[in-house]
Amino acid sequence: MGDSEKDGKVTLYEDVNKERFLSEIYPKRVPAVLRGVNIGPCVDLWTTDYLCQKGGNRQVKIHVCPITQMDFFNKNFAYRTLPFDEFVRRAAEEKHTDFFHSQDEKYYLRSLGEDPRKDVADIRTQFPELADDIIFPEFFSPSQFFSSVFRIGSPGVQLWTHYDIMDNLLIQVSGRKRVVLFSPRDATHLYLTGDKSAVLDLENPDLERFPKFCQARPYTCTLEPGDILFIPALWFHNVVSLDFGVAVNVFWRHLDPVFYDNKDPYGNKDLLSGQRAMQILDRALKTLDDLPVEYRDFYGRRMVSKIQQTVLDKELP
């Protein structure tokens, strides 16, 4: 582990090629910022005017939020539909003349497949006129490719902390992003519901509600235009757009396809084995409901002890 990893900063690597990524960076299974990788002319081309011209007036489904911090649990945002060029213009503004709720509202696009219930997002399919401007780093086999998600957000927009089950590259094309990440080993400190953390405010967390959160160790980085963030599967991440920003996430299946849920166009469902294990655990816990509290506590502790002894890997970073 490098010095920057020890002090909570994500390590920055410059001029990374495929060989270096696969031999030096990828095996560590920790996040890394890659700078100087050729991602094509998109960094220079993708201005708001260019995006509006190329993307045109096709309809896109977006998140609209009255504040910068989006809350998935309390659903403080609404889904709305706008022509793509109108959405881009609004997202780039600080104050809006046209708006749904208020002139300060924030916008966020996470591109979807043609049929979001079964089709994955791929910028080459949904936005082919823009896809030619961006080069995906060839750090994985084309047969492993899963999706490429086009993302555009207003200045200040913050997404909730979550994990993905696949490795991915966050390609920052324009604007800057601040990213806070947590190791998978911090799962017990993040108050999870599914793949999302209930701790929304990372700067000023409510430690009365979330006392264990102070034990979680954040890793941070700021992405500049042209930077790529490698996010290994299961690493939690929280993203803030410091400016109006455009990015593309590229996800790939790094495990055998048999492990993944084929009915998962978003790529955020747990691995099939993980889903089954959690269902079995829920049933096991349910069988203890009729016991007196001291027995539930006793058998619960035995279950925790068995998991610690047989599943948890003490050697992981």
Side-chain angles (χ1 to χ4, degrees), residues 215-241:
Q215 299 176 46
R217 181 187 180 192
Y219 293 76
T220 62
C221 64
T222 298
L223 301 179
E224 302 289 339
D227 284 351
I228 298 173
L229 175 61
F230 167 53
I231 307 177
L234 305 183
W235 274 78
F236 299 91
H237 44 287
N238 181 286
V239 181
V240 180
S241 295

Side-chain angles (χ1 to χ4, degrees), residues 159-173:
L159 299 183
W160 47 87
T161 303
H162 68 283
Y163 69 86
D164 299 299
I165 61 161
M166 299 181 195
D167 290 345
N168 77 91
L169 299 174
L170 173 56
I171 304 172
Q172 188 65 23
V173 178

Side-chain angles (χ1 to χ4, degrees), residues 250-276:
V250 181
F251 293 85
W252 68 94
R253 289 187 173 108
H254 58 291
L255 302 177
D256 190 300
V258 71
F259 288 108
Y260 298 98
D261 189 332
N262 287 327
K263 298 178 180 178
D264 179 21
Y266 289 89
N268 59 7
K269 288 186 178 180
D270 283 312
L271 300 180
L272 293 173
S273 296
Q275 292 181 41
R276 288 193 291 268

